[in-house]
Amino acid sequence: MCAQHPGRDAVLTCARCGRYACSGCERAEGRCRECAQQAALAVPDSRARARRAVRFLQVAAGMDLLALFSYAILFAGAGDDTSLWEDGANSVVFLSLFSSLAAQVGLLMWFHRLVRQLNAQGADMGVTPSMAVWWWLIPFANWVKPFQLMKDAAERLGGAHFAAALPISLWWGANILARLLDQVGRQVAKAGVKAGAFDSVDGTSSHLIGIISSLCLVATALFCVQIIRALQERMDQRREGYEAVDGAPAPVEDVAEAA
């Protein structure tokens, strides 16, 4: 008989504690409800990391917005003496790169903890938390795999409709476009160096690429903030459910089925 509900027949022996469990107490990986709860709550929650990642992304979006304005001013006055604005724009771009790096680190730290929680709850992501982070850093694979992992996490937290409602595709599309434009901008810069100096056409092209790239980076950061908040809210609801499970009776439908 079930250890938690003595009036019900057991359907398994918990792989962790060895107690008998009924269908209402059965959880993933052959564990009983109490062991599944303990395993889920043993992983620290990701709320603090989510807040930190959101703050970093907001700062990065602000710096990218400043870079966008700097490029727009240079684009508007590409034919005039803009050496002062060039120096200012270079400083803003440097700060933007630094803030983007901090935002990326914050995002990966949050995602590592999110995957760890999902795996502990039985919603297996198919990867370890460390591997989930490494996929963002592996060349070529990081053009596709992070998008798949983020979408997979959303589906496990809220289902296919929930994942489809999030701007995951827009977030990743803006990110890919920004990376492509960055490569194009580097090629334009190299061509200018080989020529000895930027002519007005090269300068205008470089500034236009900078405008579009900065706009994509702003969109990427803002979409990512929206995704993090939505996924973290679902994870918080899950953890609250696990915390409320302790001592709870069997589900009504299970009791009716047993009767």
Side-chain angles (χ1 to χ4, degrees), residues 151-239:
K151 185 178 179 181
D152 197 17
E155 290 178 350
R156 277 163 170 71
L157 282 169
H161 292 292
F162 171 72
L166 294 176
I168 298 177
S169 297
L170 294 175
W171 159 67
W172 197 245
N175 176 58
I176 292 296
L177 183 56
R179 292 163 66 177
L180 290 173
L181 288 172
D182 179 67
Q183 293 185 4
V184 172
R186 292 174 186 271
Q187 294 299 322
V188 171
K190 287 181 181 179
V193 170
K194 289 181 179 179
F198 279 124
D199 57 23
S200 59
V201 175
D202 290 336
T204 301
S205 301
S206 178
H207 300 150
L208 181 60
I209 292 172
I211 291 172
I212 302 174
S213 177
S214 298
L215 184 61
C216 290
L217 289 173
V218 172
T220 299
L222 295 181
F223 285 139
C224 193
V225 166
Q226 185 177 346
I227 293 168
I228 290 175
R229 285 175 169 169
L231 296 189
Q232 187 58 46
E233 182 180 358
R234 287 299 180 105
M235 179 56 71
D236 292 343
Q237 293 173 358
R238 278 199 171 201
R239 287 189 68 90

Side-chain angles (χ1 to χ4, degrees), residues 108-169:
L108 293 180
M109 290 179 65
W110 167 78
F111 196 68
H112 180 278
R113 182 64 56 80
L114 183 76
V115 173
R116 187 181 170 192
Q117 290 179 102
L118 284 171
N119 288 347
Q121 293 172 6
D124 189 12
M125 287 281 293
V127 293
T128 63
S130 298
M131 194 62 207
V133 170
W134 275 110
W135 279 120
W136 297 68
L137 308 175
I138 298 175
F140 301 109
N142 61 8
W143 288 81
V144 178
K145 194 64 177 180
F147 166 77
Q148 295 176 341
L149 288 172
M150 189 68 76
K151 185 178 179 181
D152 197 17
E155 290 178 350
R156 277 163 170 71
L157 282 169
H161 292 292
F162 171 72
L166 294 176
I168 298 177
S169 297

Side-chain angles (χ1 to χ4, degrees), residues 70-140:
S70 299
Y71 282 124
I73 291 172
L74 290 171
F75 179 75
D80 304 327
D81 183 11
T82 57
S83 58
L84 182 61
W85 283 109
E86 287 279 4
D87 294 338
N90 291 334
S91 299
V92 170
V93 169
F94 175 78
L95 292 175
S96 176
L97 291 174
F98 181 79
S99 62
S100 296
L101 178 60
Q104 186 73 8
V105 171
L107 171 63
L108 293 180
M109 290 179 65
W110 167 78
F111 196 68
H112 180 278
R113 182 64 56 80
L114 183 76
V115 173
R116 187 181 170 192
Q117 290 179 102
L118 284 171
N119 288 347
Q121 293 172 6
D124 189 12
M125 287 281 293
V127 293
T128 63
S130 298
M131 194 62 207
V133 170
W134 275 110
W135 279 120
W136 297 68
L137 308 175
I138 298 175
F140 301 109

Side-chain angles (χ1 to χ4, degrees), residues 21-46:
C22 65
S23 59
C25 295
E26 181 182 5
R27 295 296 183 267
E29 299 178 355
R31 295 177 296 186
C32 67
R33 185 178 60 187
E34 288 73 20
C35 289
Q37 176 199 20
Q38 292 177 15
L41 297 180
V43 180
D45 67 48
S46 53

